[in-house]
Amino acid sequence: MSTSDPFDGTLAGGRRPALVLIDLMRAYFTEGSPLLLPSRDCLDSAARVLAAARRHGVPVVHTRVAYGPDGADGGLFLRKVPALRMLLDGGGPLGELMPEVAPADGEQVVVKQYPSAFFATPLASSLRARGVDTVVLAGVSTSGCVRASTLDALQHGFVPLVVREAVGDRTPETQEANLFDIQAKCGEVVGEATALRYLAEER
């Protein structure tokens, strides 16, 4: 019987990356919000990764969550996570993207209703139209929308690189457990310094 690790495969970033910033909205960084994260560190890291992507001409996509006034487009997800009802009718200020990572002119913004940035959105087709083969992922939360987007990126044929410092979750234990499983099963977890070097590569 083999003693090798069945989850020891690795994926290498390709030559045509895009940066996907997932749900870096005020709802996760505003005091009093039920979705408030314990730290802003992931936002600071994501801002540095974003600056590098822009500096080196790497395409950038932002996502945010928003629902119609009655929440019908949120289906069972809204029932499972009632805190998301704050994002009904667009969510007001809490539904806005943080100024540190605000979209620049020409950067795509994908509005989604479910965890994955790919589910029921044009993200996969728009990335393919640009010839993208790799997605660098940053945002929140690691156990929810980041993990779901990583898995769907893999299933759509994009190499997913999750930037460890640029993703965040509600507890350190949840963060580490999900990064462990992402690395084992559906993506590559890379440090910020590695991501910055990758984005700076000549193409």
Coordinates of all heavy atoms in Angstrom, one line a residue, residues 26-120:
R26 N -17.8 47.1 2.4 CA -17.8 47.8 3.7 C -18.4 46.9 4.8 O -18.2 47.0 6.0 CB -18.5 49.1 3.6 CG -17.8 50.2 2.8 CD -18.5 51.5 2.9 NE -17.9 52.5 2.1 CZ -16.9 53.3 2.5 NH1 -16.4 53.2 3.7 NH2 -16.4 54.2 1.6
A27 N -19.3 46.0 4.4 CA -20.0 45.1 5.3 C -19.0 44.3 6.2 O -19.4 43.9 7.3 CB -21.0 44.2 4.6
Y28 N -17.8 44.0 5.6 CA -16.9 43.2 6.3 C -15.9 44.0 7.2 O -15.1 43.4 7.9 CB -16.1 42.3 5.4 CG -16.9 41.2 4.7 CD1 -17.5 41.4 3.5 CD2 -17.1 40.0 5.4 CE1 -18.3 40.4 2.9 CE2 -17.9 39.0 4.8 CZ -18.5 39.2 3.6 OH -19.2 38.2 3.0
F29 N -16.0 45.3 7.1 CA -14.9 46.2 7.7 C -15.6 47.3 8.5 O -14.8 48.2 8.9 CB -14.0 46.7 6.7 CG -13.3 45.6 5.9 CD1 -13.7 45.2 4.7 CD2 -12.2 44.9 6.5 CE1 -13.1 44.2 3.9 CE2 -11.6 43.9 5.8 CZ -12.0 43.5 4.5
T30 N -16.9 47.3 8.7 CA -17.5 48.4 9.4 C -18.0 47.9 10.8 O -18.7 46.9 10.9 CB -18.8 48.9 8.6 OG1 -18.3 49.3 7.3 CG2 -19.5 50.0 9.3
E31 N -17.7 48.7 11.8 CA -18.1 48.4 13.2 C -19.7 48.3 13.2 O -20.4 49.1 12.6 CB -17.6 49.4 14.1 CG -16.1 49.4 14.4 CD -15.7 48.2 15.1 OE1 -16.5 47.6 15.8 OE2 -14.5 47.8 15.0
G32 N -20.1 47.3 13.9 CA -21.6 47.1 14.0 C -22.2 46.1 13.0 O -23.3 45.7 13.2
S33 N -21.4 45.9 11.9 CA -21.9 44.9 10.9 C -21.8 43.5 11.4 O -20.8 43.1 12.0 CB -21.1 45.1 9.6 OG -21.4 44.0 8.7
P34 N -22.9 42.7 11.2 CA -22.8 41.3 11.6 C -21.7 40.5 10.9 O -21.4 39.4 11.3 CB -24.2 40.7 11.4 CG -24.8 41.7 10.4 CD -24.2 43.0 10.6
L35 N -21.2 41.0 9.8 CA -20.2 40.3 9.0 C -18.8 40.9 9.3 O -17.8 40.4 8.7 CB -20.5 40.5 7.5 CG -21.8 39.8 7.0 CD1 -21.9 40.1 5.5 CD2 -21.8 38.3 7.3
L36 N -18.7 41.7 10.3 CA -17.4 42.4 10.6 C -16.3 41.3 10.9 O -16.5 40.4 11.7 CB -17.5 43.3 11.8 CG -16.2 44.0 12.3 CD1 -15.7 45.0 11.2 CD2 -16.5 44.7 13.6
L37 N -15.2 41.5 10.2 CA -14.0 40.6 10.4 C -13.2 41.2 11.6 O -13.2 42.4 11.9 CB -13.2 40.6 9.1 CG -13.8 39.9 7.9 CD1 -12.9 40.0 6.7 CD2 -14.2 38.5 8.2
P38 N -12.4 40.3 12.2 CA -11.6 40.8 13.3 C -10.4 41.6 13.0 O -9.7 42.2 13.9 CB -11.2 39.4 14.0 CG -11.2 38.4 12.9 CD -12.3 38.8 12.0
S39 N -10.0 41.6 11.7 CA -8.8 42.4 11.3 C -9.0 42.9 9.9 O -9.7 42.4 9.1 CB -7.6 41.4 11.3 OG -6.5 42.0 10.7
R40 N -8.3 44.0 9.6 CA -8.3 44.6 8.3 C -7.0 44.2 7.5 O -6.7 44.7 6.4 CB -8.3 46.1 8.4 CG -9.6 46.7 8.9 CD -9.5 48.2 9.2 NE -9.1 48.9 8.1 CZ -10.0 49.6 7.3 NH1 -11.3 49.6 7.6 NH2 -9.6 50.3 6.3
D41 N -6.2 43.3 8.1 CA -4.9 42.9 7.4 C -5.1 42.4 6.0 O -4.3 42.7 5.1 CB -4.2 41.9 8.3 CG -3.7 42.5 9.6 OD1 -3.7 43.7 9.7 OD2 -3.2 41.6 10.4
C42 N -6.2 41.6 5.8 CA -6.4 41.1 4.4 C -6.7 42.2 3.4 O -6.3 42.1 2.3 CB -7.5 40.0 4.4 SG -9.1 40.6 4.8
L43 N -7.4 43.2 3.9 CA -7.7 44.4 3.0 C -6.4 45.1 2.6 O -6.2 45.5 1.4 CB -8.6 45.3 3.7 CG -9.0 46.6 3.0 CD1 -9.7 46.3 1.6 CD2 -9.8 47.5 3.9
D44 N -5.5 45.3 3.6 CA -4.2 46.0 3.3 C -3.4 45.2 2.3 O -2.8 45.7 1.4 CB -3.4 46.2 4.6 CG -4.1 47.1 5.5 OD1 -5.0 47.9 5.1 OD2 -3.9 47.0 6.7
S45 N -3.4 43.8 2.5 CA -2.6 43.0 1.6 C -3.2 43.0 0.2 O -2.5 43.1 -0.8 CB -2.6 41.5 2.1 OG -1.9 40.7 1.2
A46 N -4.6 42.9 0.1 CA -5.3 42.9 -1.2 C -5.0 44.2 -1.9 O -4.8 44.2 -3.2 CB -6.8 42.7 -1.0
A47 N -4.9 45.3 -1.2 CA -4.6 46.6 -1.8 C -3.2 46.6 -2.5 O -3.0 47.2 -3.5 CB -4.7 47.8 -0.8
R48 N -2.2 46.0 -1.8 CA -0.9 45.9 -2.3 C -0.9 45.0 -3.6 O -0.2 45.3 -4.6 CB 0.1 45.4 -1.3 CG 0.3 46.3 -0.1 CD 1.4 45.9 0.8 NE 1.1 44.7 1.5 CZ 0.6 44.7 2.8 NH1 0.2 45.8 3.3 NH2 0.4 43.5 3.4
V49 N -1.6 43.9 -3.5 CA -1.7 43.0 -4.7 C -2.3 43.7 -5.9 O -1.9 43.6 -7.0 CB -2.4 41.7 -4.3 CG1 -2.6 40.8 -5.5 CG2 -1.6 40.9 -3.2
L50 N -3.4 44.4 -5.6 CA -4.1 45.2 -6.6 C -3.2 46.2 -7.2 O -3.1 46.4 -8.5 CB -5.3 45.9 -6.0 CG -6.1 46.9 -6.9 CD1 -6.6 46.2 -8.1 CD2 -7.2 47.5 -6.1
A51 N -2.4 46.9 -6.4 CA -1.5 47.9 -7.0 C -0.4 47.3 -7.9 O -0.1 47.8 -9.0 CB -0.8 48.7 -5.9
A52 N 0.0 46.1 -7.5 CA 1.0 45.4 -8.4 C 0.4 44.9 -9.7 O 1.0 45.0 -10.8 CB 1.5 44.2 -7.6
A53 N -0.9 44.4 -9.6 CA -1.6 44.0 -10.8 C -1.7 45.2 -11.8 O -1.5 45.0 -13.0 CB -2.9 43.4 -10.5
R54 N -2.1 46.3 -11.3 CA -2.3 47.5 -12.1 C -1.0 47.9 -12.7 O -0.9 48.3 -13.9 CB -2.9 48.6 -11.3 CG -4.4 48.4 -11.0 CD -5.0 49.4 -10.0 NE -6.4 49.3 -9.9 CZ -7.1 49.9 -8.9 NH1 -6.5 50.6 -8.0 NH2 -8.4 49.7 -8.8
R55 N 0.0 47.9 -11.9 CA 1.4 48.4 -12.3 C 1.9 47.5 -13.5 O 2.6 48.0 -14.4 CB 2.3 48.3 -11.1 CG 3.7 49.0 -11.4 CD 4.3 49.3 -10.0 NE 4.5 48.1 -9.2 CZ 3.9 47.9 -8.0 NH1 3.0 48.8 -7.6 NH2 4.1 46.9 -7.3
H56 N 1.6 46.2 -13.5 CA 2.1 45.3 -14.5 C 1.1 44.9 -15.6 O 1.3 44.0 -16.4 CB 2.7 44.1 -13.8 CG 3.8 44.4 -12.9 ND1 5.0 44.8 -13.3 CD2 3.8 44.4 -11.5 CE1 5.8 45.0 -12.3 NE2 5.1 44.8 -11.2
G57 N 0.0 45.7 -15.6 CA -1.0 45.5 -16.7 C -1.8 44.2 -16.6 O -2.3 43.7 -17.7
V58 N -1.9 43.6 -15.4 CA -2.7 42.4 -15.3 C -4.2 42.8 -15.1 O -4.5 43.7 -14.3 CB -2.2 41.6 -14.0 CG1 -3.1 40.4 -13.7 CG2 -0.8 41.2 -14.2
P59 N -5.1 42.1 -15.8 CA -6.5 42.4 -15.7 C -7.0 42.2 -14.3 O -6.6 41.3 -13.6 CB -7.2 41.4 -16.7 CG -6.1 41.0 -17.6 CD -4.8 41.1 -16.8
V60 N -7.9 43.1 -13.9 CA -8.5 43.1 -12.6 C -10.0 42.9 -12.6 O -10.7 43.7 -13.4 CB -8.1 44.3 -11.8 CG1 -8.8 44.3 -10.4 CG2 -6.6 44.5 -11.6
V61 N -10.6 42.1 -11.8 CA -12.0 41.9 -11.7 C -12.4 42.0 -10.2 O -11.7 41.5 -9.3 CB -12.5 40.5 -12.2 CG1 -14.0 40.4 -12.1 CG2 -12.1 40.3 -13.7
H62 N -13.4 42.8 -9.9 CA -14.0 42.9 -8.6 C -15.3 42.3 -8.5 O -16.1 42.3 -9.5 CB -14.2 44.4 -8.2 CG -13.0 45.3 -8.4 ND1 -12.2 45.7 -7.4 CD2 -12.4 45.8 -9.6 CE1 -11.2 46.5 -7.9 NE2 -11.3 46.5 -9.2
T63 N -15.6 41.7 -7.3 CA -17.0 41.2 -7.1 C -17.6 41.8 -5.9 O -16.9 42.2 -5.0 CB -17.0 39.6 -7.0 OG1 -16.6 39.2 -5.7 CG2 -16.1 38.9 -8.0
R64 N -18.9 41.9 -5.9 CA -19.6 42.3 -4.7 C -21.0 41.5 -4.7 O -21.4 41.0 -5.8 CB -19.9 43.8 -4.7 CG -20.6 44.3 -6.0 CD -20.7 45.9 -6.0 NE -21.6 46.3 -4.9 CZ -22.9 46.6 -5.2 NH1 -23.4 46.4 -6.4 NH2 -23.7 47.0 -4.2
V65 N -21.6 41.5 -3.5 CA -22.9 40.8 -3.4 C -24.0 41.8 -3.3 O -23.8 42.8 -2.5 CB -22.8 39.9 -2.1 CG1 -24.2 39.2 -1.9 CG2 -21.7 38.8 -2.2
A66 N -25.0 41.6 -4.0 CA -26.2 42.5 -3.9 C -27.5 41.7 -4.2 O -27.4 40.8 -5.1 CB -26.1 43.7 -4.8
Y67 N -28.6 42.1 -3.6 CA -29.8 41.4 -3.8 C -30.9 42.4 -4.2 O -30.8 43.6 -3.8 CB -30.3 40.6 -2.6 CG -29.3 39.5 -2.2 CD1 -28.4 39.7 -1.1 CD2 -29.2 38.3 -2.9 CE1 -27.5 38.8 -0.8 CE2 -28.2 37.4 -2.6 CZ -27.4 37.6 -1.5 OH -26.4 36.7 -1.2
G68 N -31.9 41.9 -4.9 CA -33.1 42.7 -5.2 C -33.8 43.1 -3.9 O -33.6 42.5 -2.8
P69 N -34.8 44.0 -4.0 CA -35.5 44.4 -2.8 C -36.2 43.3 -2.0 O -36.3 43.4 -0.7 CB -36.6 45.4 -3.3 CG -36.0 45.8 -4.6 CD -35.3 44.7 -5.2
D70 N -36.7 42.2 -2.6 CA -37.4 41.2 -1.9 C -36.5 40.0 -1.6 O -36.9 39.0 -0.9 CB -38.6 40.7 -2.7 CG -38.3 40.1 -4.0 OD1 -37.1 40.0 -4.4 OD2 -39.2 39.7 -4.7
G71 N -35.2 40.0 -2.1 CA -34.3 38.9 -1.9 C -34.6 37.6 -2.6 O -33.9 36.6 -2.3
A72 N -35.5 37.6 -3.5 CA -35.8 36.4 -4.2 C -34.6 35.8 -5.0 O -34.5 34.6 -5.1 CB -37.0 36.6 -5.2
D73 N -33.7 36.7 -5.4 CA -32.6 36.2 -6.2 C -31.5 35.6 -5.3 O -30.6 35.0 -5.8 CB -31.9 37.4 -7.0 CG -31.7 38.6 -6.2 OD1 -32.2 38.7 -5.0 OD2 -31.1 39.6 -6.7
G74 N -31.7 35.7 -4.0 CA -30.8 35.1 -3.0 C -31.1 33.7 -2.6 O -30.3 32.9 -2.1
G75 N -32.4 33.3 -2.9 CA -32.8 31.9 -2.7 C -32.5 31.4 -1.3 O -32.6 32.1 -0.3
L76 N -32.0 30.1 -1.3 CA -31.7 29.4 0.0 C -30.5 30.0 0.7 O -30.4 29.9 1.9 CB -31.5 27.9 -0.3 CG -32.7 27.2 -0.8 CD1 -32.3 25.7 -1.1 CD2 -33.9 27.2 0.2
F77 N -29.6 30.7 -0.1 CA -28.4 31.2 0.6 C -28.8 32.3 1.6 O -28.2 32.4 2.7 CB -27.5 31.8 -0.5 CG -26.1 32.2 0.0 CD1 -25.5 31.4 0.9 CD2 -25.5 33.3 -0.6 CE1 -24.2 31.8 1.4 CE2 -24.2 33.7 -0.1 CZ -23.6 32.9 0.8
L78 N -29.8 33.1 1.3 CA -30.3 34.1 2.2 C -30.9 33.5 3.4 O -30.8 34.0 4.5 CB -31.2 35.1 1.5 CG -30.6 36.3 0.8 CD1 -31.7 37.1 0.1 CD2 -29.8 37.2 1.7
R79 N -31.6 32.4 3.2 CA -32.2 31.7 4.4 C -31.1 31.1 5.3 O -31.2 31.1 6.5 CB -33.1 30.6 3.9 CG -34.4 31.2 3.3 CD -35.3 30.1 2.7 NE -35.6 29.0 3.5 CZ -36.2 27.9 3.1 NH1 -36.6 27.8 1.8 NH2 -36.4 26.9 3.9
K80 N -30.0 30.6 4.7 CA -29.0 29.9 5.4 C -28.1 31.0 6.2 O -27.7 30.7 7.3 CB -28.1 29.1 4.5 CG -27.0 28.3 5.2 CD -27.5 27.3 6.2 CE -26.4 26.6 6.9 NZ -26.9 25.7 7.9
V81 N -27.9 32.1 5.5 CA -27.1 33.2 6.1 C -27.9 34.5 6.2 O -27.8 35.4 5.4 CB -25.8 33.4 5.3 CG1 -24.8 34.4 6.0 CG2 -25.1 32.1 5.0
P82 N -28.8 34.6 7.2 CA -29.7 35.7 7.3 C -29.0 37.1 7.3 O -29.5 38.1 7.0 CB -30.5 35.5 8.5 CG -30.3 34.1 8.9 CD -29.0 33.6 8.3
A83 N -27.7 37.1 7.8 CA -27.0 38.4 7.9 C -26.9 39.0 6.5 O -26.7 40.3 6.4 CB -25.6 38.1 8.5
L84 N -26.9 38.2 5.5 CA -26.8 38.8 4.1 C -28.0 39.6 3.7 O -27.9 40.4 2.8 CB -26.6 37.7 3.1 CG -25.3 36.9 3.2 CD1 -25.3 35.7 2.3 CD2 -24.1 37.8 2.9
R85 N -29.1 39.6 4.5 CA -30.2 40.4 4.2 C -29.9 41.9 4.3 O -30.7 42.7 3.8 CB -31.4 40.0 5.1 CG -31.9 38.6 4.9 CD -33.2 38.3 5.6 NE -34.3 39.0 5.0 CZ -35.0 38.6 3.9 NH1 -34.6 37.5 3.3 NH2 -35.9 39.3 3.4
M86 N -28.8 42.2 4.9 CA -28.4 43.6 4.9 C -28.1 44.1 3.6 O -28.0 45.4 3.3 CB -27.2 43.8 5.8 CG -25.9 43.3 5.2 SD -24.4 43.7 6.2 CE -24.6 42.7 7.6
L87 N -27.9 43.2 2.6 CA -27.5 43.6 1.2 C -28.7 43.6 0.3 O -28.5 43.7 -0.9 CB -26.4 42.6 0.7 CG -25.1 42.6 1.6 CD1 -24.2 41.6 1.1 CD2 -24.5 44.0 1.6
L88 N -29.9 43.5 0.9 CA -31.1 43.7 0.0 C -31.1 45.1 -0.6 O -30.7 46.0 0.0 CB -32.4 43.5 0.9 CG -32.6 42.1 1.4 CD1 -33.9 42.0 2.3 CD2 -32.8 41.1 0.3
D89 N -31.7 45.1 -1.8 CA -31.8 46.4 -2.5 C -30.4 47.1 -2.7 O -30.3 48.3 -2.6 CB -32.8 47.3 -1.8 CG -33.4 48.4 -2.7 OD1 -33.3 48.2 -3.9 OD2 -34.0 49.3 -2.2
G90 N -29.4 46.2 -2.9 CA -28.1 46.8 -3.1 C -27.2 46.9 -1.9 O -26.0 47.1 -1.9
G91 N -27.8 47.0 -0.7 CA -27.1 47.0 0.5 C -26.7 48.4 1.0 O -26.1 48.6 2.1
G92 N -27.0 49.5 0.3 CA -26.6 50.8 0.7 C -25.1 50.9 0.9 O -24.3 50.3 0.2
P93 N -24.7 51.7 1.9 CA -23.2 51.9 2.1 C -22.5 50.6 2.4 O -21.3 50.5 2.0 CB -23.2 52.9 3.3 CG -24.5 53.6 3.2 CD -25.5 52.6 2.7
L94 N -23.1 49.7 3.1 CA -22.4 48.4 3.5 C -22.2 47.6 2.2 O -21.3 46.7 2.3 CB -23.2 47.6 4.5 CG -23.3 48.3 5.9 CD1 -24.1 47.4 6.8 CD2 -21.9 48.4 6.5
G95 N -22.9 47.8 1.2 CA -22.7 47.0 -0.1 C -21.6 47.6 -1.0 O -21.2 47.0 -2.0
E96 N -21.0 48.7 -0.6 CA -20.0 49.4 -1.4 C -18.6 48.7 -1.2 O -18.3 48.2 -0.1 CB -19.9 50.9 -1.0 CG -21.1 51.7 -1.3 CD -21.0 53.1 -0.7 OE1 -19.9 53.4 -0.1 OE2 -22.0 53.9 -0.9
L97 N -17.8 48.7 -2.2 CA -16.5 48.2 -2.1 C -15.6 49.2 -1.4 O -15.8 50.4 -1.4 CB -15.9 48.0 -3.5 CG -16.6 46.8 -4.3 CD1 -16.1 46.8 -5.7 CD2 -16.4 45.5 -3.6
M98 N -14.6 48.7 -0.6 CA -13.8 49.5 0.2 C -13.0 50.5 -0.7 O -12.5 50.1 -1.7 CB -12.9 48.7 1.1 CG -13.6 47.9 2.2 SD -14.4 49.0 3.4 CE -12.9 49.5 4.3
P99 N -12.7 51.7 -0.2 CA -12.0 52.7 -1.0 C -10.6 52.2 -1.3 O -10.0 52.6 -2.4 CB -12.0 53.9 -0.2 CG -12.4 53.5 1.2 CD -13.3 52.3 1.0
E100 N -10.0 51.4 -0.4 CA -8.6 51.0 -0.7 C -8.5 50.1 -1.9 O -7.4 50.0 -2.5 CB -8.1 50.2 0.5 CG -7.9 51.0 1.8 CD -9.2 51.0 2.7 OE1 -10.3 50.8 2.1 OE2 -9.0 51.3 3.9
V101 N -9.6 49.5 -2.3 CA -9.6 48.6 -3.5 C -10.7 48.9 -4.5 O -11.2 48.1 -5.2 CB -9.7 47.1 -3.0 CG1 -8.5 46.6 -2.3 CG2 -11.0 46.9 -2.2
A102 N -11.1 50.2 -4.5 CA -12.1 50.6 -5.4 C -11.8 50.4 -6.8 O -10.6 50.6 -7.2 CB -12.4 52.1 -5.1
P103 N -12.7 50.0 -7.6 CA -12.4 49.7 -9.0 C -12.0 51.0 -9.8 O -12.5 52.1 -9.6 CB -13.8 49.3 -9.6 CG -14.6 48.8 -8.4 CD -14.1 49.7 -7.3
A104 N -11.0 50.8 -10.6 CA -10.6 51.9 -11.5 C -11.4 51.8 -12.8 O -12.1 50.8 -13.1 CB -9.1 51.7 -11.8
D105 N -11.3 52.9 -13.6 CA -12.0 52.9 -14.8 C -11.6 51.7 -15.7 O -10.4 51.4 -15.8 CB -11.7 54.2 -15.6 CG -12.4 55.4 -14.9 OD1 -13.3 55.2 -14.1 OD2 -12.0 56.6 -15.3
G106 N -12.6 51.0 -16.2 CA -12.3 49.9 -17.1 C -12.2 48.6 -16.4 O -12.2 47.5 -17.1
E107 N -12.2 48.5 -15.1 CA -12.1 47.3 -14.4 C -13.5 46.7 -14.2 O -14.4 47.4 -13.8 CB -11.4 47.4 -13.0 CG -9.9 47.8 -13.2 CD -9.2 48.0 -11.9 OE1 -9.8 48.1 -10.8 OE2 -7.9 48.1 -12.0
Q108 N -13.6 45.4 -14.5 CA -14.9 44.7 -14.4 C -15.4 44.6 -13.0 O -14.6 44.2 -12.1 CB -14.8 43.4 -15.1 CG -16.1 42.6 -15.2 CD -16.0 41.3 -15.9 OE1 -14.9 40.9 -16.2 NE2 -17.1 40.6 -16.2
V109 N -16.7 44.8 -12.8 CA -17.3 44.6 -11.5 C -18.4 43.5 -11.7 O -19.3 43.8 -12.4 CB -17.8 45.8 -10.8 CG1 -18.5 45.5 -9.5 CG2 -16.7 46.9 -10.6
V110 N -18.3 42.4 -11.0 CA -19.3 41.3 -11.1 C -20.2 41.4 -9.9 O -19.7 41.3 -8.8 CB -18.6 39.9 -11.2 CG1 -19.6 38.8 -11.2 CG2 -17.8 39.9 -12.5
V111 N -21.4 41.5 -10.1 CA -22.4 41.4 -9.0 C -22.9 40.0 -8.9 O -23.4 39.5 -9.9 CB -23.5 42.4 -9.2 CG1 -24.6 42.3 -8.0 CG2 -23.0 43.8 -9.3
K112 N -22.8 39.4 -7.7 CA -23.2 38.0 -7.5 C -24.2 37.9 -6.4 O -24.3 38.8 -5.5 CB -22.0 37.1 -7.3 CG -21.2 37.4 -6.1 CD -19.9 36.6 -6.1 CE -19.1 36.7 -4.9 NZ -19.7 36.1 -3.7
Q113 N -24.9 36.7 -6.3 CA -25.9 36.5 -5.3 C -25.5 35.2 -4.4 O -26.1 35.0 -3.4 CB -27.3 36.3 -5.9 CG -27.9 37.6 -6.4 CD -27.3 38.1 -7.7 OE1 -27.1 37.3 -8.6 NE2 -27.1 39.4 -7.7
Y114 N -24.5 34.5 -4.9 CA -24.1 33.3 -4.2 C -22.6 33.3 -4.0 O -21.9 34.2 -4.4 CB -24.6 32.1 -5.1 CG -26.1 31.9 -5.1 CD1 -26.9 32.5 -6.0 CD2 -26.7 31.1 -4.1 CE1 -28.2 32.4 -6.0 CE2 -28.1 30.9 -4.1 CZ -28.8 31.6 -5.1 OH -30.2 31.4 -5.0
P115 N -22.1 32.3 -3.2 CA -20.7 32.3 -2.8 C -19.7 32.4 -4.0 O -18.8 33.3 -3.9 CB -20.5 31.1 -2.0 CG -21.9 30.7 -1.5 CD -22.8 31.2 -2.5
S116 N -19.8 31.6 -5.0 CA -18.8 31.6 -6.0 C -18.9 32.8 -7.0 O -20.0 33.1 -7.4 CB -18.9 30.3 -6.9 OG -18.1 30.4 -8.0
A117 N -17.8 33.4 -7.3 CA -17.8 34.5 -8.3 C -18.1 34.0 -9.7 O -18.4 34.8 -10.5 CB -16.4 35.1 -8.3
F118 N -18.1 32.7 -9.9 CA -18.4 32.1 -11.2 C -19.9 31.7 -11.4 O -20.3 31.6 -12.5 CB -17.5 30.9 -11.4 CG -16.1 31.2 -11.6 CD1 -15.2 31.3 -10.5 CD2 -15.5 31.5 -12.9 CE1 -13.9 31.6 -10.7 CE2 -14.2 31.8 -13.0 CZ -13.4 31.8 -11.9
F119 N -20.6 31.5 -10.2 CA -21.9 30.9 -10.3 C -22.9 32.0 -10.8 O -23.1 33.0 -10.2 CB -22.4 30.4 -9.0 CG -23.7 29.7 -9.0 CD1 -24.0 28.5 -9.6 CD2 -24.8 30.4 -8.5 CE1 -25.2 28.0 -9.7 CE2 -26.1 29.9 -8.6 CZ -26.3 28.6 -9.2
A120 N -23.5 31.7 -12.0 CA -24.6 32.5 -12.6 C -24.1 33.9 -12.8 O -24.8 34.9 -12.7 CB -25.8 32.6 -11.7

